Amino acid sequence: MGALNKVASAPIVGRLGLKKPVEKTVYQATKTGFTTLGAATRTFSAAQKLTKPKRLPSAGKASLFDLTPTDEQKMITETVTEFAGEQLRPAAAQADDKCAAPQELLSTAAELGVTLIGVPEELGGVGVERSAVTNVLVAEAMAHGDMGLALACLAPSAVSTALVLWGSAEQQATYLPAFVGEDVPAAALAIQEPRPLFDPFSLRTKAYRRADGYVLDGVKSLVPLAGQAELFVVAADIDGRGPALFVVESSTAGVTIASEPAMGLRAAGLGTLKLNQVTVPESALLGDGSAESYAECVRLSRLGWCALALGTGKAVLDYVVPYVNERVAFGEPVSHRQGVAFKVADIGIELEGMRLVTLRAASRADQGLPYAREVALARKLCADKGMAIGNDGVQLLGGHGYVKEHPVERWYRDLRAVGLMEGGVLV
């Protein structure tokens, strides 16, 4: 309880006392785009020597099926919800227009301690057991403010979570201290590739084995915080044997970043990561390159996107209910029309189903139980119904749903990403 209090009592709660972190030199995506070498990065070095990697234990099997958040989870969620409402929501429209998240907002999100939740106490974090459910609740609360900004804020924690789950003792000692300090690095999990019907288990990004390590060659797309990220976890196929994850520092020779503004998630600063004969040491391989580690990464990433869909879908519902109650047509609120009332009810019903299957999958992951089937169900439901909720939100506002004066058009564009995005977030 005391460890989790560190998150809820982070400096963000005392907003007037927030210190301004040292400004970094970043290259942010704009509508005109950019192409640059990897961001100037800090020197990552082992702060301590670990004899073996630190893993968070499973939560233990529950005798009853109960997805009620614990008091600690409620406390964290309330803090993040306040941050999303007061910080993310007001900045969302401008960030979407500029295709970049404000640096000061990202720094404030880092001070909130999101990356601490999944890092063991022995390594400076506040984690005591697997935290997929907690991370789902955090992602949902952030996305209620804005999905694009939530993705930008959560991108570094995807890398820290990957290091905790599959990193070696050397990788954890080298990189994790940066994620529990005051100056959390921009980082991203890069799985997506720029081609139709992308399959994360059939990668065109290749890793060729060499005597001194691996050579990576390929392109990753829709990478959050691409222009300013100092560290990437990259998915690549090893010599045609199967996909695996690699830790790649952005300053490595052969790494190039280009802007990639998309239809939605524009506030996340999406970009393309190009790997041209990038040489990494053998120690850069995560999880010993096992197929199960990579499959788990894909599953946990998809759960993250389900959580983002939940938060954004709830934002749509919370916006359209007062709108249809206050919008008067033909002498009465439009919510008196069955066609309107039933559509609003459908949004609420679908959100409850989406939330149940997502939390069930996350709960099984925390308990160390098989959860592949549950993730597949959650992904399918959240992708289909998330898009439908976004579309219905626009429809319920009529002509107002099509203009930027109201945020539902942005939420609609963001929700369409849920069914196609891989990587970026990790719970």
Side-chain angles (χ1 to χ4, degrees):
M1 180 69 171
L4 287 168
N5 276 334
K6 289 167 60 179
V7 177
S9 61
I12 178 61
V13 181
R15 279 165 293 280
L16 295 178
L18 284 174
K19 64 178 179 180
K20 185 176 182 180
V22 177
E23 294 185 357
K24 303 176 185 177
T25 302
V26 297
Y27 209 128
Q28 295 182 327
T30 64
K31 287 182 286 187
T32 57
F34 66 82
T35 300
T36 181
L37 301 178
T41 182
R42 70 192 74 196
T43 300
F44 292 98
S45 59
Q48 58 179 308
K49 186 173 179 61
L50 300 178
T51 56
K52 61 180 181 178
K54 304 293 183 181
R55 309 286 188 220
L56 291 173
S58 297
K61 297 182 180 179
S63 57
L64 297 175
F65 179 64
D66 184 9
L67 295 176
T68 304
T70 64
D71 290 340
E72 292 86 353
Q73 289 170 336
K74 290 178 182 177
M75 179 176 59
I76 294 172
T77 303
E78 288 172 1
T79 302
V80 176
T81 299
E82 184 178 0
F83 167 71
E86 296 184 6
Q87 302 284 329
L88 299 189
R89 182 69 67 88
Q94 187 175 14
D96 180 81
D97 185 56
K98 292 185 175 180
C99 295
Q103 182 59 37
E104 55 273 17
L105 189 146
L106 296 178
S107 298
T108 303
E111 290 186 14
L112 191 63
V114 174
T115 56
L116 298 176
I117 296 172
V119 179
E121 289 181 322
E122 301 94 318
L123 298 176
V126 298
V128 294
E129 62 184 22
R130 284 285 279 111
S131 54
V133 170
T134 302
N135 287 331
V136 163
L137 295 174
V138 168
E140 178 186 2
M142 275 204 181
H144 191 266
D146 181 69
M147 185 188 286
L149 287 176
L151 176 59
C153 294
L154 294 171
S157 67
V159 172
S160 62
T161 299
L163 289 167
V164 171
L165 291 175
W166 310 294
S168 65
E170 179 184 353
Q171 290 165 339
Q172 289 185 350
T174 301
Y175 298 110
L176 279 180
F179 289 91
V180 297
E182 295 183 355
D183 186 17
V184 176
L189 170 63
I191 296 178
Q192 190 82 26
E193 295 182 347
R195 69 176 193 269
L197 303 177
F198 169 67
D199 179 359
F201 295 97
S202 179
L203 300 173
R204 291 184 183 175
T205 301
K206 302 298 181 183
Y208 303 101
R209 186 65 184 267
R210 296 291 185 266
D212 57 346
Y214 297 88
V215 174
L216 306 182
D217 212 9
V219 179
K220 295 296 176 182
S221 64
L222 301 176
V223 180
L225 300 180
Q228 61 201 87
E230 300 179 52
L231 194 66
F232 298 99
V233 170
V234 178
D237 183 89
I238 302 179
D239 289 332
R241 296 198 306 268
L245 299 171
F246 293 85
V247 179
V248 179
E249 296 183 23
S250 61
S251 58
T252 307
V255 172
T256 307
I257 308 296
S259 69
E260 190 180 23
M263 172 183 173
L265 304 173
R266 295 166 65 84
L270 300 177
T272 299
L273 170 63
K274 299 180 181 179
L275 305 162
N276 183 18
Q277 298 294 300
V278 175
T279 300
V280 296
E282 189 171 354
S283 60
L285 183 63
L286 269 178
D288 297 323
S290 72
E292 181 53 37
S293 295
Y294 181 76
E296 186 177 17
C297 176
V298 172
R299 293 182 198 127
L300 294 175
S301 174
R302 288 176 173 177
L303 270 185
W305 283 104
C306 290
L308 294 177
L310 286 173
T312 307
K314 183 64 163 56
V316 173
L317 180 63
D318 290 345
Y319 195 86
V320 300
V321 168
Y323 181 90
V324 298
N325 283 332
E326 296 168 5
R327 179 71 170 174
V328 175
F330 303 105
E332 62 180 353
V334 296
S335 59
H336 290 186
R337 306 288 177 174
Q338 285 188 346
V340 172
F342 288 171
K343 196 176 288 291
V344 174
D346 285 344
I347 294 176
I349 292 168
E350 299 298 355
L351 279 173
E352 289 299 316
M354 291 160 58
R355 197 164 194 271
L356 180 64
V357 294
T358 299
L359 287 175
R360 176 177 170 83
S363 176
R364 290 182 64 85
D366 279 350
Q367 297 175 61
L369 299 172
Y371 62 99
R373 174 181 177 273
E374 286 73 19
V375 170
L377 294 175
R379 160 85 168 200
K380 175 62 175 173
L381 187 63
C382 291
D384 291 352
K385 301 306 180 182
M387 281 196 295
I389 288 171
N391 183 68
D392 288 345
V394 172
Q395 287 290 102
L396 286 166
L397 265 67
H400 284 167
Y402 195 69
V403 298
K404 291 185 179 294
E405 178 185 351
H406 298 272
V408 289
E409 64 85 24
R410 184 177 70 250
W411 295 336
Y412 168 70
R413 290 187 282 111
D414 290 345
L415 282 165
R416 292 193 67 86
V418 176
L420 63 90
M421 287 290 287
E422 303 282 0
V425 289
L426 193 69
V427 299

